[in-house]
Amino acid sequence: MVKLRLKRCGRKAIYRIVAIDVRSRREGRYIKKVGFYDPINNKTYPNVNHILYFIDKGAKPTRTVYDVLKKTGFFK
């Protein structure tokens, strides 16, 4: 099963939104990078085509990713 998760990158609190296998750890190997989330500036940069592709294939976003994407108006 594939999930959409946040993966931390860099020293600052900047996260990638990635499609990753459930059995992988948070910082493990991901399948595809599908966006960025910057909580300091409260900005989200989703790649809508890739996110829709993985959701259509059965990927489920984690609660945090769901909330981040909901703030951007993705689930309207």
Side-chain angles (χ1 to χ4, degrees):
M1 177 184 242
V2 176
K3 283 203 171 198
L4 298 176
R5 283 189 191 165
L6 292 178
K7 180 177 179 179
R8 189 171 181 169
C9 57
R11 285 189 197 178
K12 297 181 181 178
I14 296 176
Y15 297 91
R16 286 185 180 145
I17 302 171
V18 296
I20 193 167
D21 188 25
V22 173
R23 296 169 289 189
S24 296
R25 56 194 177 102
R26 183 187 71 181
E27 304 301 325
R29 180 178 285 184
Y30 57 88
I31 299 168
K32 186 83 171 172
K33 180 174 58 174
V34 295
F36 282 101
Y37 173 57
D38 183 3
I40 296 170
N41 298 325
N42 202 16
K43 301 260 184 177
T44 306
Y45 306 98
N47 188 334
V48 177
N49 294 333
H50 291 303
I51 293 173
L52 288 176
Y53 171 79
F54 280 107
I55 289 176
D56 287 342
K57 294 293 182 182
K60 295 190 177 187
T62 60
R63 187 69 189 163
T64 308
V65 172
Y66 180 82
D67 291 341
V68 167
L69 293 175
K70 189 175 176 184
K71 285 181 187 175
T72 64
F74 186 79
F75 293 109
K76 286 189 178 182

